[in-house]
Amino acid sequence: FRINAGPVHSYVLLGDGITTKYLCELQAGEEVLVYDCDAGTSRSVAVGRLKIEVRPCVVVGLKAEEDDTKDESNVNNADGQIFLQQAETVRLGKEKGDFVRVTDLGME
């Protein structure tokens, strides 16, 4: 399978589930952790090939929903952002297994 992973300065979780590396530091043969949103499970897979390409990216802002922010100790009580490739093949997971394509996101 193929992964459009994002900018080279993004972190990836290695197969041990603890260690991270920048995407640009990965090498073929190293293992990374992948997550199955439908099953709610993760597994380690070996990287077969790496290719760094220049692609258009967007910055996506993230904001916790109001219900998630009531408890101040809640880890969801935060805003953030992420760089993603601007392509219909890049999707963000939603509740209940739904997803939204990056190209379908609205501007605010």
Side-chain angles (χ1 to χ4, degrees):
F1 61 93
R2 176 184 175 157
I3 298 174
N4 292 332
V8 295
H9 65 271
S10 294
Y11 283 107
V12 64
L13 190 59
L14 298 183
D16 64 7
I18 299 170
T19 312
T20 59
K21 278 191 172 185
Y22 288 116
L23 286 173
C24 62
E25 295 175 334
L26 285 178
Q27 296 181 9
E30 287 188 282
E31 293 195 353
V32 296
L33 203 65
V34 295
Y35 185 76
D36 184 334
C37 293
D38 294 329
T41 60
S42 60
R43 64 186 173 100
S44 181
V45 297
V47 174
R49 179 179 86 124
L50 295 154
K51 182 172 152 185
I52 297 175
E53 301 175 326
V54 177
R55 298 286 181 160
C57 288
V58 295
V59 178
V60 178
L62 311 167
K63 186 171 179 96
E65 292 185 8
E66 206 169 301
D67 289 345
D68 292 338
T69 60
K70 289 181 182 175
D71 177 2
E72 296 209 12
S73 66
N74 188 335
V75 295
N76 292 330
N77 190 13
D79 297 341
Q81 62 276 337
I82 186 170
F83 281 90
L84 295 171
Q85 182 180 332
Q86 187 176 14
E88 63 274 350
T89 56
V90 178
R91 307 178 301 180
L92 296 170
K94 294 172 59 177
E95 291 184 47
K96 300 178 183 170
D98 293 336
F99 66 88
V100 61
R101 289 180 174 89
V102 169
T103 53
D104 293 338
L105 294 174
M107 299 288 288
E108 289 188 25

